[in-house]
């Protein structure tokens, strides 16, 4: 591997809860442009590409000088859309999935997820989690949880020269994912208390939808049918867990809010105003 890394922003025009949300304008820019600009500030990537499924999105990317790849409107997931892009760029080894509706994504977090993957030769995927310190969030099914096997040591290896500014520290490398769920996991037989919520390393983790993948994993994923657990929870990362793939988890202190609803959009517009 030469560890060339590409950020891919899957951009789907249709959206269930907020129509054509990526083309909504706040602060004089579309949501898609805000996300592209934030992702472009990450230092680990050699290229940033928007994976679009509609000419409207392609035109928008061209308007702000970005690079797009047209992908199928029938892709069942963002991972499948990224796999389509990876097939067109054989010179890249790692692909970072930045959701198109996350205009406030932290570039340092993008660097972290890519660095953790590149540094650990045994990892198939890297993703990001943040500790859950609130019982209300823990019980919220819209918050996806990760069960994490705590790291036994520092993240392996060294970052490649000229890319991420630092190698992740032990505090940034949480461990390996065992399971993902919309339920409050792991279950506490003695009940959830302030002490269990405050545990360190954390017991409860909120999964953030940021991923880095190796090329061979994307090739494998795109040729596999949905797995039983994946279909039950409606979480595509469980396809990898059931197949024994290794998912390493980086730790951040808080989550950047994505845009799913009109209220989310209005709140974002107000913040940048």
């Amino acid at each position: 591997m030469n560890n060339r890394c590409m950020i891919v922003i899957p951009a789907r025009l249709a959206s269930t809860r907020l129509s054509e949300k990526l083309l909504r304008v706040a602060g004089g820019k579309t949501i898609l442009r805000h996300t592209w600009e934030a992702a472009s500030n990450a230092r680990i990537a050699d290229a940033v590409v928007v994976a679009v499924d509609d000419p409207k999105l392609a035109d928008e990317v061209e308007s702000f000088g970005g690079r797009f790849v047209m992908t199928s409107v029938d892709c069942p997931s963002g991972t499948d859309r990224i796999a389509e892009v990876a097939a067109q760029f054989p010179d890249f080894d790692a692909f970072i999935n930045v959701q198109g509706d996350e205009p406030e994504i932290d570039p340092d977090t993008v660097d972290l997820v890519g660095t953790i993957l590149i540094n650990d030769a045994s990892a198939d995927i890297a993703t990001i989690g943040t500790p859950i310190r609130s019982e209300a969030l823990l019980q919220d099914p819209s918050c996806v949880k990760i069960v994490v096997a705590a790291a036994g040591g520092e993240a392996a290896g060294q970052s490649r020269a000229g890319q991420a500014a630092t190698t992740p520290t032990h505090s940034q490398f949480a461990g390996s994912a065992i399971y993902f769920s919309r339920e409050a996991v792991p279950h506490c037989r003695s009940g959830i208390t302030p002490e269990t919520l405050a545990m360190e390393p954390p017991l409860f983790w909120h999964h953030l939808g940021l991923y880095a993948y190796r090329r061979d994993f994307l090739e494998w994923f795109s040729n596999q049918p949905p797995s039983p657990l994946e279909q039950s929870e409606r979480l595509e990362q469980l396809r990898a867990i059931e197949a024994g793939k290794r998912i390493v988890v980086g730790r951040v202190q808080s989550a950047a809010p994505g845009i799913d609803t009109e209220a989310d959009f209005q709140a974002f517009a107000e913040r940048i105003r």
Side-chain angles (χ1 to χ4, degrees):
M1 282 183 63
N2 60 24
N3 288 334
R4 293 193 74 204
C5 181
M6 173 182 285
I7 292 172
V8 183
I9 303 173
R12 189 169 61 93
L13 185 65
S15 49
T16 304
R17 288 185 283 179
L18 187 61
S19 178
E20 298 190 4
K21 63 182 176 181
L22 297 184
L23 297 179
R24 298 286 295 271
V25 175
K29 301 175 184 178
T30 61
I31 295 301
L32 181 57
R33 180 170 182 174
H34 282 293
T35 302
W36 177 83
E37 289 180 352
S40 296
N41 284 326
R43 290 162 289 182
I44 195 168
D46 300 285
V48 180
V49 168
V50 185
V52 304
D53 70 348
D54 189 277
K56 287 184 181 180
L57 292 169
D59 290 344
E60 169 59 16
V61 176
E62 283 195 323
S63 76
F64 56 71
R67 182 179 185 181
F68 73 86
V69 171
M70 187 64 70
T71 56
S72 171
V73 72
D74 297 321
C75 284
S77 71
T79 306
D80 291 289
R81 200 171 301 283
I82 289 174
E84 276 198 22
V85 174
Q88 299 182 47
F89 292 92
D91 294 336
F92 287 82
D93 307 297
F95 298 84
I96 300 176
N97 178 348
V98 174
Q99 304 293 334
D101 59 1
E102 296 210 4
E104 297 175 278
I105 187 73
D106 184 349
D108 288 341
T109 302
V110 178
D111 285 333
L112 174 62
V113 75
T115 301
I116 285 175
L117 179 76
I118 290 170
N119 285 354
D120 190 337
S122 69
D124 299 290
I125 315 171
T127 193
I128 296 294
T130 188
I132 296 175
R133 305 300 190 188
S134 156
E135 185 172 356
L137 184 61
L138 181 63
Q139 301 293 355
D140 184 352
S142 67
C143 167
V144 176
K145 294 83 180 177
I146 323 174
V147 181
V148 176
E154 300 290 341
Q158 297 293 322
S159 59
R160 61 196 175 108
Q163 299 300 321
T166 61
T167 298
T169 64
H170 181 65
S171 64
Q172 291 174 295
F173 180 57
S176 299
I178 299 173
Y179 192 68
F180 296 80
S181 181
R182 300 185 186 278
E183 293 297 311
V185 290
H187 174 70
C188 291
R189 291 188 64 182
S190 58
I192 298 165
T193 66
E195 289 72 27
T196 56
L197 287 166
M199 283 179 64
E200 198 61 51
L203 185 61
F204 306 111
W205 291 89
H206 178 189
H207 178 232
L208 312 184
L210 179 67
Y211 299 93
Y213 313 96
R214 296 197 189 280
R215 165 180 296 283
D216 56 358
F217 170 81
L218 289 170
E219 292 172 352
W220 170 85
F221 185 91
S222 63
N223 289 300
Q224 300 300 309
S227 69
L229 289 176
E230 174 187 1
Q231 292 175 311
S232 175
E233 294 260 17
R234 298 292 191 268
L235 295 173
E236 66 192 67
Q237 57 269 46
L238 290 173
R239 191 184 313 179
I241 292 286
E242 286 189 80
K245 303 296 184 181
R246 183 162 182 256
I247 304 178
V248 291
V249 182
R251 174 177 180 168
V252 296
Q253 289 308 112
S254 60
I259 295 178
D260 291 318
T261 66
E262 181 65 31
D264 295 337
F265 174 74
Q266 294 300 331
F268 169 67
E270 183 61 29
R271 283 193 297 274
I272 66 171
R273 185 176 297 123

